[in-house]
Amino acid sequence: MLLKYSSHFLGACSLFFASFTSFADERALKIVASFSIIEDLARQVGGERITLTSIVGANDDAHVYEPTPADVRHVAQADVVLINGLMFEGFLTRLIDASGTKASVVTVSEHSVHLEDPQGGHYHFYGDRAVFHEAPYDPHAWQSVPNAKAYVARIAEAFCEADPKGCQEYRANQQRYEQALETLEHEIQERISTIPESRRTAVVAHHAFRYFEEAYGINFLAPQGVSTESEATAAHVAQLIDAIEKQNAVAVFAENISNPRLVEQIADEAGIALSGTLYSDALSGADGPAATYLDMMRHNVNTLVTALQ
Ligand SMILES: [Zn+2]
Ligand SMILES: [Zn+2]
């Protein structure tokens, strides 16, 4: 569904690219990250010793991403491909197969905490369509800082394996960045503690914040799909409005990767405020408020605290 190029085209690509990867620049480690958040974490660890490309870019939705011929080329030439795993990147298996890459494919969530999803997955809304994203373990593990730390440790391990000469540098970068993550973790806990207990439920466009919820004690509601296709968006919204009233949700947030139309409608019908944009599954561009992982988490916490306090 996600990859529209014919296998013939991709097969030709893999032969073509395999033929000149051996002429590639030997000095820098070539890293491909599956999406922008892993890209930033890899940059923190790799510094000047790596060249880095991300498949899914800023503000882009990995769930519906369709790889391009340039992605096939980058993956074909990579030394290491960093992926989230937990069934986040639906497009990835075919892209990797099509590229014929010899890169090691590293799942950076390997050592992080994994939360089981009681529903076996979550919903995304595109226009009036509810799309179920099957994922028995919630893939959005980066939304807690201890998990980001586990990602960074796995990335450093992968870089050391691929480039032993640079290992000392990677480990030093890792340690420095871990300190920044610890500072961030304390800051988040402190800021969230200023929100009254009775005002800790919020509504988001898709269930991307379960790890944040678990780590920092904010409850998130998100629209759920319904089982029959004949039921329209109205039914999803009605269900959610009910939950908003029962659980006293006080704010609704838009999300950088989704059209805000659905959450606008929810805010309107529930009579509560639409209170800004949270960054869930992608960073902002370089001049946006969430250009790095640290900035993203700070932006989200500020947005939440301002609305809920
Ligand atoms: Zn999803
Ligand atoms: Zn998501």
Side-chain angles (χ1 to χ4, degrees), residues 192-201 217-218 305 308-309:
I192 298 290
S193 73
T194 64
I195 302 171
E197 292 290 341
S198 62
R199 293 182 57 86
R200 291 196 179 191
T201 301
I218 299 290
V305 170
L308 301 180
Q309 228 170 13

Side-chain angles (χ1 to χ4, degrees), residues 77-204:
Q77 296 175 344
D79 297 308
V80 180
V81 179
L82 301 172
I83 68 168
N84 184 71
L86 302 174
M87 299 176 75
F88 179 63
E89 301 101 333
F91 60 85
L92 204 89
T93 309
R94 287 199 59 199
L95 172 59
I96 285 177
D97 289 351
S99 73
T101 188
K102 301 274 191 298
S104 57
V105 178
V106 175
T107 303
V108 301
S109 67
E110 209 169 77
H111 305 324
S112 78
V113 169
H114 302 157
L115 292 180
E116 242 174 290
D117 190 322
Q119 267 84 48
H122 54 271
Y123 286 91
H124 295 264
F125 290 82
Y126 302 104
D128 281 344
R129 246 168 7 111
V131 177
F132 186 64
H133 176 188
E134 189 183 340
Y137 290 91
D138 188 319
H140 308 93
W142 59 85
Q143 288 291 351
S144 89
V145 175
N147 272 351
K149 211 189 261 187
Y151 278 31
V152 165
R154 185 66 189 90
I155 291 168
E157 199 177 294
F159 288 2
C160 281
E161 240 166 70
D163 173 25
K165 280 189 197 148
C167 191
Q168 224 180 351
E169 196 176 323
Y170 299 135
R171 291 298 184 189
N173 290 343
Q174 177 197 348
Q175 279 174 11
R176 195 172 48 236
Y177 190 63
E178 276 178 357
Q179 281 170 6
L181 289 174
E182 264 162 48
T183 306
L184 173 69
E185 174 76 349
H186 292 139
E187 210 178 295
I188 295 175
Q189 286 168 351
E190 232 166 81
R191 301 286 324 270
I192 298 290
S193 73
T194 64
I195 302 171
E197 292 290 341
S198 62
R199 293 182 57 86
R200 291 196 179 191
T201 301
V203 182
V204 289

Side-chain angles (χ1 to χ4, degrees), residues 11-306:
C13 281
S14 65
L15 280 178
F16 175 65
F17 293 119
S19 65
F20 68 78
T21 46
S22 55
F23 298 107
D25 179 0
E26 292 293 309
R27 287 164 300 172
L29 200 58
K30 287 183 196 59
I31 308 300
V32 172
S34 62
F35 77 118
S36 53
I37 292 170
I38 294 179
E39 180 189 15
D40 177 52
L41 300 179
R43 182 174 294 116
Q44 305 306 326
V45 177
E48 300 291 305
R49 286 191 75 93
I50 62 168
T51 60
L52 187 58
T53 35
S54 179
I55 297 169
V56 184
N59 293 316
D60 215 351
D61 184 353
H63 303 89
V64 290
Y65 185 74
E66 295 185 11
T68 65
D71 295 328
V72 178
R73 189 172 68 239
H74 289 141
V75 170
Q77 296 175 344
D79 297 308
V80 180
V81 179
L82 301 172
I83 68 168
N84 184 71
L86 302 174
M87 299 176 75
F88 179 63
E89 301 101 333
F91 60 85
L92 204 89
T93 309
R94 287 199 59 199
L95 172 59
I96 285 177
D97 289 351
S99 73
T101 188
K102 301 274 191 298
S104 57
V105 178
V106 175
T107 303
V108 301
S109 67
E110 209 169 77
H111 305 324
S112 78
V113 169
H114 302 157
L115 292 180
E116 242 174 290
D117 190 322
Q119 267 84 48
H122 54 271
Y123 286 91
H124 295 264
F125 290 82
Y126 302 104
D128 281 344
R129 246 168 7 111
V131 177
F132 186 64
H133 176 188
E134 189 183 340
Y137 290 91
D138 188 319
H140 308 93
W142 59 85
Q143 288 291 351
S144 89
V145 175
N147 272 351
K149 211 189 261 187
Y151 278 31
V152 165
R154 185 66 189 90
I155 291 168
E157 199 177 294
F159 288 2
C160 281
E161 240 166 70
D163 173 25
K165 280 189 197 148
C167 191
Q168 224 180 351
E169 196 176 323
Y170 299 135
R171 291 298 184 189
N173 290 343
Q174 177 197 348
Q175 279 174 11
R176 195 172 48 236
Y177 190 63
E178 276 178 357
Q179 281 170 6
L181 289 174
E182 264 162 48
T183 306
L184 173 69
E185 174 76 349
H186 292 139
E187 210 178 295
I188 295 175
Q189 286 168 351
E190 232 166 81
R191 301 286 324 270
I192 298 290
S193 73
T194 64
I195 302 171
E197 292 290 341
S198 62
R199 293 182 57 86
R200 291 196 179 191
T201 301
V203 182
V204 289
H206 93 288
H207 247 312
F209 296 97
R210 205 179 263 110
Y211 289 88
F212 190 100
E213 178 173 288
E214 184 85 357
Y216 309 115
I218 299 290
N219 309 310
F220 290 98
L221 303 174
Q224 303 290 300
V226 289
S227 50
T228 59
E229 283 185 26
S230 59
E231 291 175 82
T233 312
H236 315 144
V237 174
Q239 242 175 23
L240 183 59
I241 302 292
D242 200 43
I244 288 171
E245 280 163 12
K246 283 200 179 100
Q247 298 182 51
N248 289 320
V250 293
V252 181
F253 298 94
E255 174 180 34
N256 68 316
I257 62 159
S258 320
N259 186 319
R261 206 179 57 82
L262 180 63
V263 286
E264 279 165 8
Q265 189 190 344
I266 292 163
D268 200 43
E269 290 190 25
I272 53 181
L274 186 60
S275 305
T277 298
L278 299 177
Y279 286 75
S280 54
D281 296 19
L283 299 177
S284 70
D287 47 6
T292 65
Y293 178 78
L294 297 175
D295 285 349
M296 174 186 83
M297 295 303 280
R298 287 201 169 96
H299 169 87
N300 285 351
V301 169
N302 284 338
T303 305
L304 286 165
V305 170
T306 305

